[in-house]
Amino acid sequence: MAERKPIESWLTDMDGVLIHEGVPIPGADAFLKKLREAGLPFLVLTNNSIYTPRDLHARLARMGLEVPLENIWTSALATAQFLDDQRPGGTAYVIGEAGLTTALHDIGYVLTDHAPDYVVLGETRTYSFEALTKAIRLINGGARFICTNPDETGPSTEGPLPATGSVAALITKATGKEPYFAGKPNPLMMRTGLNAIGAHSETSAMIGDRMDTDVLAGLEAGMETFLVLTGLTGPGDIDRYPFRPSTVVDSIADLVDRI
């Protein structure tokens, strides 16, 4: 196997890598500070489509983590980029929060429940039966079905919450239509993110805490991959998958000296 080129840009997941249940993971601040000081292109990614980059910037700043707006990339932004490429100036019926609706407004989409081009499903803490029923009827009427991410559950202090992937399964069962997922592990999210910072996969690395999303997306995008053990994947889980990360480390603190 050819030796990989030196890493010139970094992509990192947020939850489970930089923060855990609202608390910074030791080493996260040092890692981000060194990236900024080195002037290297980097992105903090999240499959969660609830928040806008401005929301996330403020949330991270309250924890002492400084991430500029332009260095935040969400599944909502990846979804909006995909739709703008596919059908510029289109229409969508959206189930989601401000992160998703703002991203779609910013590309010039009209949000409507009258014969939309797309039904777009994202994360929300208040999935309503009425909204899901409307989505099902619109998809049966010809709207194309798009989802921000396939995550079946999301974290909370009380335990796992049903997330976009679980709700998408309900809609698929009712319509017989499978959605297109724009977020991880779709390498589309990684490639559009790399394009946003002018980086190339051959000289980029992806850091994540999940084998099934972060590592898989980085692998399929042609990036070097680092798995940290501060999130959902434990050492005993790695061999359950037919692929492996390039490197396994205990936490983000172990990667500070790699910059």
Side-chain angles (χ1 to χ4, degrees), residues 12-100:
T12 175
D13 187 38
M14 186 172 68
D15 292 303
V17 179
L18 301 178
I19 62 174
H20 180 68
E21 293 184 356
V23 178
I25 290 172
D29 54 346
F31 183 81
L32 292 169
K33 182 180 179 182
K34 197 164 181 183
L35 282 175
R36 295 195 308 272
E37 291 175 345
L40 293 178
F42 74 95
L43 280 180
V44 172
L45 297 95
T46 177
N47 253 2
N48 190 317
S49 63
I50 289 178
Y51 304 106
T52 67
R54 190 176 300 279
D55 295 332
L56 292 173
H57 167 77
R59 180 184 173 203
L60 291 168
R62 285 194 298 270
M63 300 179 205
L65 302 179
E66 183 58 38
V67 182
L69 288 176
E70 61 270 20
N71 295 104
I72 296 173
W73 193 246
T74 71
S75 64
L77 294 175
T79 300
Q81 179 69 66
F82 170 75
L83 293 179
D84 194 34
D85 290 341
Q86 290 281 305
R87 187 180 287 262
T91 59
Y93 176 69
V94 177
I95 299 176
E97 301 286 346
L100 182 55

Side-chain angles (χ1 to χ4, degrees), residues 122-171:
E123 219 80 65
T124 175
R125 294 286 187 261
T126 56
Y127 290 111
S128 80
F129 185 78
E130 180 182 358
L132 295 177
T133 300
K134 185 167 289 186
I136 288 165
R137 290 172 179 169
L138 291 171
I139 292 168
N140 283 335
R144 299 157 187 84
F145 186 19
I146 304 291
C147 288
T148 57
N149 68 84
D151 296 31
E152 294 169 353
T153 60
S156 80
T157 53
E158 294 82 23
L161 296 171
T164 308
S166 296
V167 180
L170 181 155
I171 294 175

